[in-house]
Amino acid sequence: SNDTKVPLAVIVGVTGQQGGSVANALIQSDKSYRIVGLTRDATKPSAQAWIEKGVQLHEVDISPGKDADVVRAFEGADIVFAVTNAVELRSKEKEVAQGKL
């Protein structure tokens, strides 16, 4: 939905299994939501498929040092789904830092 009166849900990793499941659940819900999906690469076919479903994509790197971009990505959010990728980060410290952004 583009109606600014409905809740804005921002989903980290919308192209992944967990983020994608959350996005699909919101799309299929009997309630309306504005959905923003965050991804590192909005040009990928898996990202483009979300646009066809009505999800607005924002390309953002959720990494320490990218704080301003991360804060901007969540502006106005009523609902946030955030997940980190411990396997990819290979570091508890990096995962905690990413989560604190």
Side-chain angles (χ1 to χ4, degrees):
S1 173
N2 290 325
D3 183 353
T4 59
K5 294 177 186 166
V6 302
L8 171 61
V10 178
I11 301 170
V12 174
V14 73
T15 61
Q17 192 167 3
Q18 292 179 357
S21 293
V22 171
N24 276 323
L26 294 176
I27 290 167
Q28 295 169 7
S29 172
D30 59 350
K31 296 182 180 181
S32 292
Y33 296 93
R34 292 177 292 144
I35 303 171
V36 171
L38 305 183
T39 183
R40 286 176 287 185
D41 184 355
T43 64
K44 292 190 313 188
S46 58
Q48 292 295 306
W50 288 107
I51 293 172
E52 295 172 18
K53 294 181 179 186
V55 174
Q56 182 181 5
L57 289 183
H58 287 193
E59 193 171 280
V60 64
D61 180 4
I62 299 181
S63 297
K66 308 282 185 172
D67 300 30
D69 294 338
V70 174
V71 168
R72 196 169 25 260
F74 291 103
E75 278 183 3
D78 299 297
I79 301 164
V80 171
F81 177 79
V83 63
T84 60
N85 187 339
V87 174
E88 184 178 293
L89 295 173
R90 296 182 184 169
S91 164
K92 178 183 176 184
E93 292 76 20
K94 287 180 182 177
E95 183 179 16
V96 169
Q98 188 180 55
K100 288 182 177 181
L101 286 177

